[in-house]
């Protein structure tokens, strides 16, 4: 939903991400607010064809029409894997149709064929913040149990269609982020829910069941396929050795680990009862849910890692971390920050890998890691992004350390290989790629692709399997 664009082509329906606007006149510090808190009014306006707002995620960077050129560039860098998602709304535009949309299916056939031509393995997310908007507005999102069936129909359709083409699947991107942005995660407008914690965990429960059912279907259709869960893992550390800070950190970290606990182990962890009681959450479940979740846990765990944060039980007099730090937290005085306020902590990646592996003993895939920065194009199409190279180099070194520690890390896809629309701020100018796209925050530009300095650097990293990092 951040690269593809062409939201009005081939019968595609609107997704929940298609309602986010970019508006320069909005104060910068409010740009992430809509990501965290979608309003009813905005959802309505987005459905009005006469809305004059700019909706960047409907346009992406037009990968839809540039996929051959883009994949050729990925191949030139030596990619062995390409992480992408299938837009649910290309296959089932409203989400509740009985038959899939052939034009949408055919598009991904072309993408997978192109990847195969270069020997690039696709790693495919089924739902990367892009459930059909119709399921949010007409059914109330994932809180409604019916959405499980719609999702499983979508999943089964693509598992069958791409059986020989895709082996690695991720049912939900950053499934733990429902806590921070329920609209884009489970299709729920917070204003409508007096008891939002209940809605979030009910929606999450339905996603757990859906993940298990999708895993079951996937294995039946293609026994060699692998299914992984995906969380946003922001490493949390105690601000001090005060026992209260330590306890608080454990509780905060569990807010994310809860999701991997259920999906990787196949049952709700022991701390659930207390957590739910404190939040007054009472799940509505069906008798078969427990068995389904138990029988079909994921094969591997994937996660995004951008930053870490400190936690204090007494934050009143401490400086808070800024930027889109999803779990908030306290500024760590030992760490530098990106221009968007994210605290850069490469060694935290080694810790995160060790923690996840100690806890689950399942293979790990780093599905996202990268630096959002405002790149400058100098004369002659030169882009010197040394800051990005240094961020990635420092993190890759720590992956090596984790591997020496004995952690089973079987893959790494940095975020994102080509510039795209930022998920949280809807900016184009927050760039992550090795490939620059000539397009500004309002979608103006030629969309020309330009290689950055990091392009050649990463090519060598892949060719040397991470040995050559300088
Ligand atoms: C992850 C998301 O949270 O972070 C991506 O899975 C997102 O979709 C990435 O783009 C970086 O965040 P942002 O807000 O800088 O685009």
């Amino acid at each position: 939903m951040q690269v593809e664009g062409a939201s009005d082509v081939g019968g595609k329906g609107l997704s929940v991400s298609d309602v986010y606007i970019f508006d320069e006149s909005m104060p910068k510090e409010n740009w992430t607010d809509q990501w965290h808190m979608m309003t009813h009014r905005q959802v309505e306006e987005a459905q009005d064809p006469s809305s004059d707002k700019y909706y960047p995620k409907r346009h992406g960077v037009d990968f839809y029409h540039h996929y051959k050129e883009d994949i050729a560039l990925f191949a030139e860098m030596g990619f062995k894997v390409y992480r992408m998602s299938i837009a649910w709304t290309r296959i089932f535009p409203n989400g509740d149709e009985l038959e899939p949309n052939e034009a949408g299916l055919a598009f991904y056939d072309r993408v997978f064929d192109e990847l195969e031509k270069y020997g690039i393995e696709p790693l495919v997310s089924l739902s990367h913040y892009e459930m059909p908007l119709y399921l949010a507005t007409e059914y109330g999102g994932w809180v409604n149990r019916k959405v499980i069936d719609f999702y499983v129909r979508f999943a089964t359709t693509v598992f069958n269609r791409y059986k020989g083409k895709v082996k690695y699947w991720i049912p939900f991107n950053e499934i733990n982020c429902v806590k921070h942005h329920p609209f884009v995660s489970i299709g729920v407008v917070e204003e409508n829910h007096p008891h939002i914690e209940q809605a979030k965990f009910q929606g999450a429960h339905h996603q757990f069941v859906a993940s298990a059912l999708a895993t079951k279907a996937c294995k039946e259709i293609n026994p060699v396929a692998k299914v992984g869960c995906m969380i946003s893992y922001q490493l949390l550390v105690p601000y001090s050795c005060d026992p209260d800070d330590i306890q608080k950190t454990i509780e905060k970290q569990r807010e994310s680990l809860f999701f991997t606990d259920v999906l990787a182990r196949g049952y709700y962890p022991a701390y659930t009862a207390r957590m739910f009681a404190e939040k007054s959450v009472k799940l509505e479940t069906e008798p078969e849910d427990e068995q389904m979740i138990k029988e079909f846990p994921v094969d591997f765990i994937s996660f995004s890692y951008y930053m870490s944060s400190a936690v204090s039980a007494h934050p009143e007099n401490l400086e808070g971390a800024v930027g889109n730090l999803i779990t908030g937290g306290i500024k760590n005085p030992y760490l530098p920050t990106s221009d968007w306020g994210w605290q850069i902590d490469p060694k935290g990646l080694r810790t995160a890998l060790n923690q996840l592996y100690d806890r689950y003993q399942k293979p790990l895939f780093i599905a996202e890691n990268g630096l959002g920065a405002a790149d400058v194009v100098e004369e002659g199409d030169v882009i010197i992004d040394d800051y990005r190279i240094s961020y990635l180099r420092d993190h890759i070194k720590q992956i090596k350390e984790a591997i020496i520690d004995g952690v089973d890390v079987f893959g790494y896809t940095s975020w994102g290989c080509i510039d795209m629309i930022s998920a949280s701020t809807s900016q184009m100018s927050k760039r992550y790629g090795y490939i620059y796209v000539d397009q500004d925050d309002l979608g103006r530009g030629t969309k020309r692709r330009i290689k950055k300095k990091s392009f050649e650097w990463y090519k060598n990293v892949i060719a040397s399997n991470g040995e050559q990092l300088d």
Side-chain angles (χ1 to χ4, degrees):
M1 57 92 178
Q2 292 161 263
V3 291
E4 206 174 272
S7 65
D8 54 353
V9 177
K12 183 186 179 299
L14 284 184
S15 86
V16 284
S17 276
D18 291 329
V19 307
Y20 290 85
I21 58 163
F22 180 79
D23 180 353
E24 267 180 320
S25 65
M26 233 155 59
K28 219 172 177 174
E29 55 280 12
N30 295 347
W31 285 356
T32 54
D33 287 359
Q34 59 168 342
W35 183 240
H36 293 137
M37 184 82 79
M38 177 52 65
T39 66
H40 216 49
R41 213 180 113 252
Q42 188 168 334
V43 174
E44 262 169 33
E45 187 178 4
Q47 293 171 88
D48 179 353
S50 64
S51 166
D52 59 357
K53 296 276 184 339
Y54 176 57
Y55 298 92
K57 289 164 191 162
R58 298 185 190 187
H59 306 280
V61 291
D62 201 19
F63 176 80
Y64 189 89
H65 293 109
H66 289 255
Y67 71 94
K68 284 195 177 179
E69 179 189 351
D70 292 344
I71 293 171
L73 286 165
F74 305 152
E76 192 183 329
M77 264 189 284
F79 275 29
K80 296 169 186 163
V81 55
Y82 175 56
R83 175 163 181 247
M84 54 175 279
S85 60
I86 291 178
W88 186 347
T89 49
R90 270 197 199 288
I91 314 302
F92 292 96
N94 284 338
D96 64 352
E97 295 88 346
L98 294 176
E99 294 303 323
N101 171 31
E102 177 53 34
L105 288 167
F107 169 65
Y108 295 106
D109 268 327
R110 297 197 290 277
V111 170
F112 294 136
D113 290 347
E114 201 64 18
L115 289 169
E116 198 186 355
K117 188 167 121 187
Y118 298 105
I120 301 174
E121 186 96 52
L123 167 66
V124 181
S125 298
L126 289 175
S127 187
H128 191 126
Y129 301 146
E130 54 198 339
M131 75 180 296
L133 181 60
Y134 188 81
L135 294 185
T137 57
E138 303 306 310
Y139 288 87
W142 275 96
V143 177
N144 187 337
R145 199 174 169 98
K146 280 188 193 152
V147 174
I148 300 179
D149 294 340
F150 300 142
Y151 174 88
V152 173
R153 186 179 300 144
F154 160 55
T156 309
T157 303
V158 297
F159 293 152
N160 274 315
R161 176 78 170 218
Y162 309 122
K163 185 179 167 184
K165 299 180 181 183
V166 182
K167 205 169 118 194
Y168 296 95
W169 296 95
I170 295 176
F172 296 98
N173 179 63
E174 295 188 333
I175 190 164
N176 59 320
C177 283
V178 59
K179 178 176 183 309
H180 316 290
H181 34 65
F183 181 69
V184 86
S185 293
I186 57 165
V188 155
V189 178
E190 211 161 325
E191 290 173 329
N192 292 347
H193 285 270
H195 189 357
I196 189 67
E197 289 297 320
Q198 173 68 29
K200 287 177 182 176
F201 284 102
Q202 190 63 56
H205 175 74
H206 290 154
Q207 290 190 334
F208 293 151
V209 176
S211 172
L213 288 167
T215 305
K216 177 176 187 281
C218 188
K219 303 280 171 172
E220 282 165 7
I221 294 165
N222 183 8
V224 299
K226 300 281 178 208
V227 181
C229 60
M230 201 292 194
I231 59 163
S232 160
Y233 200 53
Q234 182 186 138
L235 181 75
L236 299 178
V237 296
Y239 182 73
S240 77
C241 49
D242 176 345
D244 286 344
D245 284 3
I246 294 167
Q247 179 56 31
K248 191 86 194 160
T249 307
I250 291 172
E251 284 166 21
K252 282 269 167 204
Q253 199 75 80
R254 274 179 177 168
E255 288 178 1
S256 287
L257 291 173
F258 169 75
F259 293 81
T260 25
D261 281 352
V262 177
L263 290 165
R265 293 168 170 164
Y267 54 89
Y268 276 83
Y271 57 84
T272 310
R274 182 173 188 166
M275 191 174 85
F276 280 3
E278 284 171 4
K279 295 177 189 291
S280 306
V281 168
K282 281 202 177 77
L283 289 189
E284 280 172 31
T285 61
E286 292 294 326
E288 66 273 19
D289 293 359
E290 199 181 325
Q291 185 57 26
M292 197 46 69
I293 291 171
K294 190 165 179 207
E295 233 181 289
F296 297 98
V298 293
D299 301 306
F300 66 93
I301 292 162
S302 68
F303 64 104
S304 59
Y305 179 84
Y306 293 93
M307 58 194 143
S308 71
S309 190
V311 175
S312 168
H314 310 288
E316 304 78 45
N317 299 321
L318 297 168
E319 191 185 342
V322 293
N324 178 31
L325 284 162
I326 51 169
T327 49
I330 300 302
K331 191 163 165 39
N332 181 337
Y334 296 95
L335 300 178
T337 55
S338 80
D339 290 344
W340 273 260
W342 294 15
Q343 302 190 110
I344 302 172
D345 184 5
K347 288 183 179 159
L349 177 55
R350 176 180 175 184
T351 311
L353 286 163
N354 273 280
Q355 283 181 348
L356 292 171
Y357 197 60
D358 283 354
R359 200 168 175 118
Y360 306 113
Q361 291 95 44
K362 293 211 175 192
L364 301 177
F365 194 110
I366 302 160
E368 291 181 28
N369 169 239
L371 179 73
D375 298 322
V376 177
V377 186
E378 293 172 32
E379 185 137 346
D381 279 351
V382 174
I383 301 158
I384 315 276
D385 56 342
D386 287 330
Y387 35 87
R388 180 167 296 108
I389 293 174
S390 132
Y391 177 101
L392 293 167
R393 178 196 291 130
D394 292 348
H395 283 80
I396 294 169
K397 278 184 184 162
Q398 295 303 319
I399 302 173
K400 186 170 184 178
E401 292 297 328
I403 291 170
I404 299 170
D405 290 336
V407 178
D408 182 1
V409 189
F410 78 104
Y412 174 79
T413 44
S414 61
W415 186 270
C417 46
I418 185 164
D419 292 348
M420 68 185 94
I421 311 298
S422 156
S424 59
T425 66
S426 291
Q427 284 172 285
M428 182 65 212
S429 50
K430 188 181 188 190
R431 298 173 181 274
Y432 284 88
Y434 305 104
I435 301 160
Y436 184 93
V437 178
D438 175 33
Q439 178 174 295
D440 71 9
D441 287 337
L442 291 170
R444 296 168 300 207
T446 60
K447 297 193 169 50
R448 200 158 58 87
R449 276 56 172 155
I450 307 169
K451 297 175 196 172
K452 302 181 192 176
K453 184 177 173 185
S454 56
F455 184 101
E456 285 303 321
W457 173 80
Y458 199 51
K459 187 174 171 177
N460 281 330
V461 173
I462 298 177
S464 64
N465 201 25
E467 288 304 321
Q468 215 179 304
L469 290 172
D470 294 316

